[in-house]
Amino acid sequence: MKTKRVSIKDIAQKVGVSNATVSLVLNGKEEEGRIRKEVAAKVLQAAKELNYEPNNFARGLRMGRSNTIGLILADISNSFFAHIAFYIQEYADEYGYSVIITNTNESGDKMGKMINVLKSHQVDGFIIVPTEDGEEDIRELIDQKTPVVLLDRYFPHLPVSHIVVNNYHASFEATNLLLDSECQNIALLIYNNKLAHMTDREKGYREALVKRNYYKPELVKKITYNTIEEDISTAIKSLLLEQPKVDGIFFATNTISAIGIKELLKQHVRIPEDIKVVCFDKNEAFDFMPFQIPYVQQPIQEMSRKSVDILMEQIKQSSAIPTTMEMFASMSNKS
Amino acid sequence: MKTKRVSIKDIAQKVGVSNATVSLVLNGKEEEGRIRKEVAAKVLQAAKELNYEPNNFARGLRMGRSNTIGLILADISNSFFAHIAFYIQEYADEYGYSVIITNTNESGDKMGKMINVLKSHQVDGFIIVPTEDGEEDIRELIDQKTPVVLLDRYFPHLPVSHIVVNNYHASFEATNLLLDSECQNIALLIYNNKLAHMTDREKGYREALVKRNYYKPELVKKITYNTIEEDISTAIKSLLLEQPKVDGIFFATNTISAIGIKELLKQHVRIPEDIKVVCFDKNEAFDFMPFQIPYVQQPIQEMSRKSVDILMEQIKQSSAIPTTMEMFASMSNKS
DNA sequence: AAGTATAAATAAAACGTTTAAGCAACTTTT
DNA sequence: AAAAGTTGCTTAAACGTTTTATTTATACTT
């Protein structure tokens, strides 16, 4: 059996004061509670001796706050999100907040479920990387006045704080990079996903090409998350048959990049001699290729920090109006 | 302001019964509480209508349990651990438990801190990937009879449940793989780390070589976690000067592998023609190399499952004796 | 000397659950 | 018909905090 916990009452008894006094001291409210220094010292001393640890249940019950935020990620085993988790935890800690991390695996059902799990833990707010069909769940949260910040993705018609990179702009730039290196037949591999961050990426690609009159709809290949391997393999093979020959490919996510490049190598395509490649987000694997792969670099750290900052703002004054923050990505090859 | 939460009392009022009745029904204790079906139905109905969500603080306070476990990882951005996090969450969920994930970044200080954070959240138990200097912290947990399971690493003299792969055996096998492909001068790059899982790996390597009389202490290079890049670069360069020429390298972790191979490529070493390589743990990057890299494959999924199972056992009956589970890794090239 | 301000501490309620114990009102057993 | 058991529900305490309102003691004004 766990040894019985020591409570405020035990300290009070030992020092010979009331519960209230102990609580006041322990919370550093000696000033407003006007506790004598000597008493405060004795209380702290006793607390140390008894090895007191506050009971968060009681505190949470009483205060209605948990000092915990819920972080809902789409795929924790994707290094992009893993890093986000890392930083968010770091920054939340600075505010004295802990983070409960959960994972949806891009499933909307699971997102709803995770929201409930976290709600039942009385988190004070959410940072969410929402799934495609998660709009309704988010709307519910907003209706309940729950502080929530969306990260990486957003719903254009939902009045909710979100931190995203300007995906349109980043993709525009990335595509231009290919154009600037003489590519004329540039393909896009992108998720078949209605979320704005994805459609923005496609738009950036398209407009860059349209501007130079190089846009060819048949070079846009849509990938389904659940059949990603086959879809990419099929797409690449089909692209290799195109005439005129495809000379550039823009991969719209790091997972697509990884699998796509693997497939290109398998088909003995030389990068960048035969086909030049640009990716969205870094992939560890890039370091190991005998060629350099330019990629869109999202400011993960700043995005994480901002999302924590904004959430804290919302928690503090839950009437806060939604804050939208759009950041700019940079290309890895110029920095 | 958040709309006021609906509590059991509200349901009781609406249906016209007592708190106790509602609680009993909500917890599925209608049988032992002997509540009539019709009343139970009305309560459930009302709960749904009012959109009732239980207050975990109150429940936790009363019950002394949180139905939450704390997961402390050494490095969440390492894909090995990220996957562990993923699976553990999955399995804990099956038990009706949530998981709070935290990260130590291999720092012992931080591990102590994280334990406290999680304790203050009243987690019912811990799954920990301990840091090198974390033995004392773990011992404290044991002394307090806190259910805890170590994962991936362990302290041989600590009576605590742990799930690990047989690192000795795996390394022995891995080294043999190089020996079997005619290597005679096989180097090892490994962390300068006293944790048993590391020393076991070294031992496996050593004994495989000693057995064939190929062991050369100067081919073992120790890497410090905090200066990993320089150390590996130095080590590789030094190894390339050895006579007779090094013809095989065993990298003892996936991070070391990644950086090590990068350095080899930088030095224009051809793999596997000049030097054959074997790694501990998979690295995503391996998929992209024009050559195949054999690696030790830990049964991540089973390890995760077992650690959850065992922790649950410990939580249920806190008198449970520590369970040690040693699993066997396989080589990636035969499966 | 009486009144008033200030300092230092306390009492007690409240947060929302769970659950042991209790109490009617029946039903069965003796 | 009294005793014993069963059924169905309620009462009330307890979990450990925080915090408002209150009390007591002391110091300062007039």
PDB file of all heavy atoms in Angstrom, chain B residues 76-88:
ATOM      1  N   ILE B  76      11.719  12.485 -26.951  1.00  0.00           N
ATOM      2  CA  ILE B  76      10.484  12.241 -27.689  1.00  0.00           C
ATOM      3  C   ILE B  76      10.677  12.462 -29.184  1.00  0.00           C
ATOM      4  O   ILE B  76       9.895  11.975 -29.991  1.00  0.00           O
ATOM      5  CB  ILE B  76       9.355  13.136 -27.164  1.00  0.00           C
ATOM      6  CG1 ILE B  76       8.013  12.523 -27.520  1.00  0.00           C
ATOM      7  CG2 ILE B  76       9.485  14.537 -27.684  1.00  0.00           C
ATOM      8  CD1 ILE B  76       6.858  13.386 -27.125  1.00  0.00           C
ATOM      9  N   SER B  77      11.699  13.189 -29.564  1.00  0.00           N
ATOM     10  CA  SER B  77      11.858  13.446 -30.994  1.00  0.00           C
ATOM     11  C   SER B  77      12.680  12.355 -31.685  1.00  0.00           C
ATOM     12  O   SER B  77      12.883  12.395 -32.889  1.00  0.00           O
ATOM     13  CB  SER B  77      12.463  14.830 -31.230  1.00  0.00           C
ATOM     14  OG  SER B  77      13.677  14.964 -30.546  1.00  0.00           O
ATOM     15  N   ASN B  78      13.109  11.376 -30.919  1.00  0.00           N
ATOM     16  CA  ASN B  78      13.737  10.192 -31.504  1.00  0.00           C
ATOM     17  C   ASN B  78      12.629   9.223 -31.900  1.00  0.00           C
ATOM     18  O   ASN B  78      11.779   8.865 -31.086  1.00  0.00           O
ATOM     19  CB  ASN B  78      14.666   9.559 -30.468  1.00  0.00           C
ATOM     20  CG  ASN B  78      15.338   8.284 -30.960  1.00  0.00           C
ATOM     21  OD1 ASN B  78      14.727   7.485 -31.667  1.00  0.00           O
ATOM     22  ND2 ASN B  78      16.578   8.100 -30.574  1.00  0.00           N
ATOM     23  N   SER B  79      12.655   8.787 -33.130  1.00  0.00           N
ATOM     24  CA  SER B  79      11.500   8.032 -33.621  1.00  0.00           C
ATOM     25  C   SER B  79      11.268   6.737 -32.852  1.00  0.00           C
ATOM     26  O   SER B  79      10.141   6.277 -32.719  1.00  0.00           O
ATOM     27  CB  SER B  79      11.641   7.766 -35.119  1.00  0.00           C
ATOM     28  OG  SER B  79      12.287   6.537 -35.345  1.00  0.00           O
ATOM     29  N   PHE B  80      12.325   6.172 -32.313  1.00  0.00           N
ATOM     30  CA  PHE B  80      12.157   4.967 -31.499  1.00  0.00           C
ATOM     31  C   PHE B  80      11.214   5.254 -30.333  1.00  0.00           C
ATOM     32  O   PHE B  80      10.250   4.526 -30.087  1.00  0.00           O
ATOM     33  CB  PHE B  80      13.530   4.505 -30.985  1.00  0.00           C
ATOM     34  CG  PHE B  80      13.493   3.328 -30.065  1.00  0.00           C
ATOM     35  CD1 PHE B  80      13.197   2.060 -30.542  1.00  0.00           C
ATOM     36  CD2 PHE B  80      13.772   3.484 -28.711  1.00  0.00           C
ATOM     37  CE1 PHE B  80      13.174   0.968 -29.686  1.00  0.00           C
ATOM     38  CE2 PHE B  80      13.745   2.395 -27.852  1.00  0.00           C
ATOM     39  CZ  PHE B  80      13.452   1.135 -28.342  1.00  0.00           C
ATOM     40  N   PHE B  81      11.456   6.357 -29.645  1.00  0.00           N
ATOM     41  CA  PHE B  81      10.626   6.694 -28.493  1.00  0.00           C
ATOM     42  C   PHE B  81       9.263   7.225 -28.907  1.00  0.00           C
ATOM     43  O   PHE B  81       8.266   6.986 -28.227  1.00  0.00           O
ATOM     44  CB  PHE B  81      11.355   7.701 -27.610  1.00  0.00           C
ATOM     45  CG  PHE B  81      12.604   7.135 -26.997  1.00  0.00           C
ATOM     46  CD1 PHE B  81      13.840   7.732 -27.202  1.00  0.00           C
ATOM     47  CD2 PHE B  81      12.556   5.984 -26.230  1.00  0.00           C
ATOM     48  CE1 PHE B  81      14.995   7.200 -26.650  1.00  0.00           C
ATOM     49  CE2 PHE B  81      13.708   5.441 -25.679  1.00  0.00           C
ATOM     50  CZ  PHE B  81      14.930   6.052 -25.884  1.00  0.00           C
ATOM     51  N   ALA B  82       9.246   7.925 -30.012  1.00  0.00           N
ATOM     52  CA  ALA B  82       7.965   8.437 -30.488  1.00  0.00           C
ATOM     53  C   ALA B  82       7.007   7.276 -30.757  1.00  0.00           C
ATOM     54  O   ALA B  82       5.828   7.329 -30.425  1.00  0.00           O
ATOM     55  CB  ALA B  82       8.158   9.277 -31.738  1.00  0.00           C
ATOM     56  N   HIS B  83       7.552   6.214 -31.327  1.00  0.00           N
ATOM     57  CA  HIS B  83       6.706   5.056 -31.584  1.00  0.00           C
ATOM     58  C   HIS B  83       6.260   4.398 -30.283  1.00  0.00           C
ATOM     59  O   HIS B  83       5.130   3.948 -30.155  1.00  0.00           O
ATOM     60  CB  HIS B  83       7.439   4.052 -32.473  1.00  0.00           C
ATOM     61  CG  HIS B  83       7.383   4.407 -33.917  1.00  0.00           C
ATOM     62  ND1 HIS B  83       8.341   5.177 -34.554  1.00  0.00           N
ATOM     63  CD2 HIS B  83       6.440   4.144 -34.870  1.00  0.00           C
ATOM     64  CE1 HIS B  83       8.005   5.345 -35.823  1.00  0.00           C
ATOM     65  NE2 HIS B  83       6.870   4.734 -36.045  1.00  0.00           N
ATOM     66  N   ILE B  84       7.167   4.355 -29.349  1.00  0.00           N
ATOM     67  CA  ILE B  84       6.796   3.805 -28.047  1.00  0.00           C
ATOM     68  C   ILE B  84       5.641   4.599 -27.455  1.00  0.00           C
ATOM     69  O   ILE B  84       4.656   4.040 -26.956  1.00  0.00           O
ATOM     70  CB  ILE B  84       8.017   3.813 -27.108  1.00  0.00           C
ATOM     71  CG1 ILE B  84       8.953   2.661 -27.500  1.00  0.00           C
ATOM     72  CG2 ILE B  84       7.588   3.692 -25.653  1.00  0.00           C
ATOM     73  CD1 ILE B  84      10.175   2.541 -26.627  1.00  0.00           C
ATOM     74  N   ALA B  85       5.755   5.911 -27.534  1.00  0.00           N
ATOM     75  CA  ALA B  85       4.691   6.770 -27.011  1.00  0.00           C
ATOM     76  C   ALA B  85       3.373   6.437 -27.689  1.00  0.00           C
ATOM     77  O   ALA B  85       2.329   6.301 -27.049  1.00  0.00           O
ATOM     78  CB  ALA B  85       5.034   8.236 -27.238  1.00  0.00           C
ATOM     79  N   PHE B  86       3.461   6.288 -28.965  1.00  0.00           N
ATOM     80  CA  PHE B  86       2.272   5.992 -29.752  1.00  0.00           C
ATOM     81  C   PHE B  86       1.585   4.713 -29.274  1.00  0.00           C
ATOM     82  O   PHE B  86       0.390   4.680 -28.975  1.00  0.00           O
ATOM     83  CB  PHE B  86       2.682   5.853 -31.212  1.00  0.00           C
ATOM     84  CG  PHE B  86       1.565   5.516 -32.136  1.00  0.00           C
ATOM     85  CD1 PHE B  86       0.806   6.518 -32.703  1.00  0.00           C
ATOM     86  CD2 PHE B  86       1.274   4.195 -32.435  1.00  0.00           C
ATOM     87  CE1 PHE B  86      -0.235   6.205 -33.562  1.00  0.00           C
ATOM     88  CE2 PHE B  86       0.229   3.873 -33.297  1.00  0.00           C
ATOM     89  CZ  PHE B  86      -0.525   4.881 -33.856  1.00  0.00           C
ATOM     90  N   TYR B  87       2.348   3.657 -29.156  1.00  0.00           N
ATOM     91  CA  TYR B  87       1.755   2.369 -28.776  1.00  0.00           C
ATOM     92  C   TYR B  87       1.276   2.359 -27.323  1.00  0.00           C
ATOM     93  O   TYR B  87       0.223   1.816 -27.012  1.00  0.00           O
ATOM     94  CB  TYR B  87       2.760   1.242 -28.986  1.00  0.00           C
ATOM     95  CG  TYR B  87       2.980   0.912 -30.443  1.00  0.00           C
ATOM     96  CD1 TYR B  87       4.241   0.980 -31.014  1.00  0.00           C
ATOM     97  CD2 TYR B  87       1.909   0.536 -31.252  1.00  0.00           C
ATOM     98  CE1 TYR B  87       4.444   0.686 -32.354  1.00  0.00           C
ATOM     99  CE2 TYR B  87       2.099   0.244 -32.591  1.00  0.00           C
ATOM    100  CZ  TYR B  87       3.368   0.319 -33.136  1.00  0.00           C
ATOM    101  OH  TYR B  87       3.556   0.030 -34.456  1.00  0.00           O
ATOM    102  N   ILE B  88       2.058   2.950 -26.470  1.00  0.00           N
ATOM    103  CA  ILE B  88       1.672   2.922 -25.061  1.00  0.00           C
ATOM    104  C   ILE B  88       0.340   3.628 -24.864  1.00  0.00           C
ATOM    105  O   ILE B  88      -0.531   3.168 -24.124  1.00  0.00           O
ATOM    106  CB  ILE B  88       2.774   3.548 -24.190  1.00  0.00           C
ATOM    107  CG1 ILE B  88       3.939   2.551 -24.093  1.00  0.00           C
ATOM    108  CG2 ILE B  88       2.240   3.904 -22.804  1.00  0.00           C
ATOM    109  CD1 ILE B  88       5.036   2.958 -23.166  1.00  0.00           C
TER     110      ILE B  88
END
